[in-house]
Amino acid sequence: MADAPVPKNQTPDYKLFSFQDFNLISGIHLSDEVEQIKNWAIRDSDVFLLTYPKSGTTWLKQILTMIEAKGDITATSNQMVLETIPWIEVLHDKEKFTTAASPRIRSSHLPYKLLPRDLTKKRGKVIYVARNPKDVLVSYFHFHNCAVMLETPKDFNDFFEKFMQGKVFASNWFEHIKSWYLHRHEMDHLYVTYEEMIQDLRAVVERICCFLGKDLSSSEMDNVVMHSTFENMSNNSSVNYKRLPETLLNHQKGAFMRKGTVGNWKKHFTVAQSERFDLMFQEEMKNVPLSFVWDIKDLSV
Ligand code: A3P
């Protein structure tokens, strides 16, 4: 079986496997557990952060952690953000989720169809973070080079093809964003983009506070923003993942906090790849009223 549990002290054989047409990773995910997630009971105070990989998940985790702490970094303890805001689909989270105190803030890369059905009864809140998919692809390529649980690509072309075909963890970018965006009216849902956060982080933090019903003072808000900048997060061991063991991240091969910008794809894509991507984007997104910022020059930062 592709996703059998791994005995303790044994390095898992990380491999992609498909569960209900969605790619997961053996050794990290179990289909039996993931299947149960849709039945989880949701509290009104629960917050779910949904993303396709490399869209700014960790950034949002830091923002949400800092909002909860009203900007006081000393109140956030020394825990890594992936412990403060765990992944629901990663092995054995169910019990911790059931017994955790409110507010339970959780993250997920799962598509709409696999998330708790309670969310569609407007119980709990959903924040979806999107990023222009060319930058997602490049960020994901670099992450594949250092993340031990992901297959190292032969080169950029090799990864480009895999991404275009959805042969990566979390499958196809277009399916993911459409699954969440087109069902947003069923949920208490906030959509934000990575590029908006680059352009005006404070404005996005204010929107998130408003959505969550958090009333922060101006100086508390300043602190949330200050501790969520790329520079400060890069130097913060709770969020830069430098504390993750080499069995999970090969730190010699790249930093998690890599570039943190808009338009880095231009240094990787060939003209032909960019044109092919644009065609696919037009076709896939023709009925979806979403647009993206592809270049830092198009932002007044
Ligand atoms: P790059 O690889 O392009 O630098 P995720 O957390 O979903 O895996 O996303 C990781 C991406 O978000 C990385 O992109 C990382 O550098 C970027 N990121 C994280 N925190 C950021 C911040 N404060 N400002 C800008 N980008 C940030």
Side-chain angles (χ1 to χ4, degrees), residues 4 35 48 137 173 182 191 207 227 231 247 252 259-260 264 275:
E35 189 167 24
F48 281 79
L137 190 157
W173 181 88
L182 298 177
Y191 174 85
R207 268 173 64 208
H227 292 300
E231 196 187 349
T247 48
Q252 317 308 318
K259 290 271 183 228
N264 188 234
E275 286 174 359

Side-chain angles (χ1 to χ4, degrees), residues 11-52:
T11 308
D13 182 17
Y14 298 119
K15 280 211 172 68
L16 285 186
F17 69 94
S18 177
F19 172 69
Q20 297 189 8
D21 290 328
F22 184 77
N23 289 336
L24 297 167
I25 306 170
S26 60
I28 298 199
H29 309 114
L30 270 177
S31 47
D32 286 354
E33 288 188 0
V34 172
E35 189 167 24
Q36 284 309 313
I37 289 176
K38 47 181 179 310
N39 303 320
W40 287 13
I42 296 304
R43 301 176 194 154
D44 288 336
S45 54
D46 290 341
V47 178
F48 281 79
L49 166 61
L50 268 302
T51 56
Y52 187 86

Side-chain angles (χ1 to χ4, degrees), residues 46-140:
D46 290 341
V47 178
F48 281 79
L49 166 61
L50 268 302
T51 56
Y52 187 86
K54 314 317 290 176
S55 302
T57 327
T58 311
W59 197 358
L60 245 293
K61 286 189 185 198
Q62 173 67 354
I63 292 170
L64 293 173
T65 305
M66 291 311 304
I67 289 174
E68 274 307 304
K70 290 188 177 279
D72 178 4
I73 195 125
T74 61
T76 60
S77 77
N78 206 16
Q79 265 195 335
M80 284 206 282
V81 275
L82 48 83
E83 294 159 342
T84 323
I85 304 184
W87 299 100
I88 58 168
E89 60 267 36
V90 165
L91 285 173
H92 317 320
D93 189 60
K94 168 75 198 296
E95 203 183 313
K96 285 182 253 160
F97 181 76
T98 311
T99 55
S102 298
R104 299 181 299 193
I105 309 178
R106 291 293 186 274
S107 59
S108 179
H109 289 318
L110 293 177
Y112 164 83
K113 67 181 177 190
L114 295 176
L115 257 281
R117 291 301 90 193
D118 270 2
L119 290 171
T120 60
K121 297 174 195 149
K122 301 220 168 168
R123 205 168 289 155
K125 290 181 187 291
V126 172
I127 301 177
Y128 189 91
V129 186
R131 182 181 191 184
N132 92 57
K134 291 181 176 174
D135 280 333
V136 166
L137 190 157
V138 167
S139 180
Y140 212 4

Side-chain angles (χ1 to χ4, degrees), residues 53-59 131 139 194 198 228-230 233 256-260:
K54 314 317 290 176
S55 302
T57 327
T58 311
W59 197 358
R131 182 181 191 184
S139 180
Y194 182 96
I198 292 281
S228 306
T229 63
F230 184 80
M233 283 179 59
F256 181 87
M257 298 293 295
R258 194 184 61 90
K259 290 271 183 228

Side-chain angles (χ1 to χ4, degrees), residues 188-206:
D188 197 1
H189 181 279
L190 179 72
Y191 174 85
V192 299
T193 67
Y194 182 96
E195 293 77 20
E196 286 169 326
M197 299 199 289
I198 292 281
Q199 177 155 39
D200 189 346
L201 183 54
R202 192 187 171 97
V204 176
V205 171
E206 282 171 5

